[in-house]
Amino acid sequence: MTSAPLNAPAGPSTAPRYARVLSIAGSDSGGGAGIQADLKTFAALGCYGMTAITAITAQNTRGVTGIHGIPPEMLKAQIDAVVQDIGVDAVKIGMLHSPEVVRVVADAIREYRLPHVVLDPVMVATSGDRLIAQETVGVLVRELFPLAEVITPNLDEAGWLLGRTLAGLDDLEQAAQDLLGLGARAALLKGGHLPGDWVVDMLATAPGQPGHRLQSARIATHNGHGTGCTLSSAIAAHLALGQPLQQAVESARAYILGAIAAGANVVTGGGHGPLNHGYAPVAQRVF
């Protein structure tokens, strides 16, 4: 007789349930990024969202004015509480501000064998505010890159990880391959910070194999706050719903393009506004 997975919920295994996605990330008091964006995305895509908050930030559309880290033991307690009772079908990881917090998350992934881990190595906010200590970066790479199904850095984050500036489209494929060389199983390198009329992302899934290029017309907007959080949480949601990685990335990209377009001209605050996460919600799936 096969034993139940460590992250299985209590109750009969044949009972109907939702697609369950856990966000391990920081809170954005302005509601556009972090935990708040993740929960909106999970709901919009028909999933049941849960959270383990790593840090509380005081921020709005103009910037970050304060960060308060959650103690590692409280983060562990949040993860334990969710996993042991409800269960998890996919995980999105965002802001991890200290080495101790990274290790708590890595230990939980291994202990509970958490599936479909999407790691967004959040380092800098849209406003330019740095959100992670330098000493945390090495621990993040060593501990979490091998455990994640995919990592989703933007151009600046990838440049920080690789120790060089990524300045053009020609850099994307090699940089994505080099991220695999750091231990990532797959890497979605987001090229949205590059100038031009097109946004090009590169998905690398195997060392030495050509990457999958995804591109779309750039949408003119000042409302890009939380774009990276939303994309990674959408990938996790689609993985929880049963899509393979490349399809999940393509589906997540389609969702985020719709959310950007739907919120492009809306005014929220005086800085970088959020996406319209709820532009086309779908019913929560029951399996």
Side-chain angles (χ1 to χ4, degrees):
M1 180 176 177
T2 303
S3 60
L6 292 179
N7 63 340
S13 60
T14 56
R17 63 172 181 81
Y18 301 119
R20 307 152 300 176
V21 192
L22 171 63
S23 173
I24 304 174
S27 169
D28 171 7
S29 56
I35 287 285
Q36 287 80 353
D38 295 344
L39 287 176
K40 293 173 187 179
T41 301
F42 300 154
L45 295 176
C47 294
Y48 181 84
M50 304 164 292
T51 65
I53 298 175
T54 62
I56 300 169
T57 68
Q59 65 175 295
N60 52 30
T61 64
R62 297 178 186 271
V64 180
T65 58
I67 299 175
H68 175 72
I70 299 299
E73 59 271 18
M74 184 58 192
L75 174 60
K76 181 179 186 302
Q78 293 177 79
I79 298 172
D80 291 344
V82 167
V83 175
Q84 292 173 7
D85 177 49
I86 300 170
V88 173
D89 296 304
V91 182
K92 176 264 171 78
I93 301 172
M95 177 184 173
L96 303 175
H97 60 281
S98 72
E100 293 78 16
V101 163
V102 173
R103 294 187 182 100
V104 165
V105 174
D107 288 345
I109 293 171
R110 287 188 287 258
E111 177 183 357
Y112 293 115
R113 301 196 293 271
L114 297 179
H116 299 310
V117 175
V118 179
L119 172 62
D120 186 21
V122 176
M123 299 177 182
V124 181
T126 303
S127 59
D129 295 288
R130 183 167 292 186
L131 299 173
I132 186 173
Q134 178 64 46
E135 63 268 21
T136 306
V137 177
V139 180
L140 186 78
V141 170
R142 291 193 302 273
E143 293 282 341
L144 285 178
F145 273 33
L147 299 178
E149 185 165 344
V150 63
I151 63 171
T152 63
N154 62 32
L155 216 62
D156 296 334
E157 291 158 350
W160 195 359
L161 288 164
L162 297 173
R164 66 178 188 267
T165 300
L166 306 177
L169 290 176
D170 293 341
D171 297 330
L172 289 183
E173 182 146 19
Q174 185 59 55
Q177 284 290 320
D178 291 344
L179 289 169
L180 298 187
L182 293 179
R185 292 156 54 191
L188 176 65
L189 178 52
K190 300 173 293 190
H193 289 181
L194 291 174
D197 295 331
W198 292 86
V199 174
V200 180
D201 303 326
M202 183 66 64
L203 175 64
T205 57
Q209 298 299 314
H212 181 60
R213 183 182 172 118
L214 305 106
Q215 65 180 34
S216 52
R218 187 179 299 277
I219 300 169
T221 181
H222 198 57
N223 296 331
H225 182 52
T227 303
C229 301
T230 300
L231 179 61
S232 57
S233 57
I235 294 170
H238 284 296
L239 289 171
L241 291 166
Q243 293 187 2
L245 178 59
Q246 183 172 319
Q247 184 182 355
V249 169
E250 292 169 348
S251 297
R253 249 182 136 264
Y255 166 72
I256 202 169
L257 289 171
I260 292 171
N265 299 314
V266 179
V267 176
T268 307
H272 295 281
L275 318 182
N276 184 344
H277 293 89
Y279 79 99
V282 300
Q284 193 155 282
R285 288 279 302 276
V286 176
F287 294 90

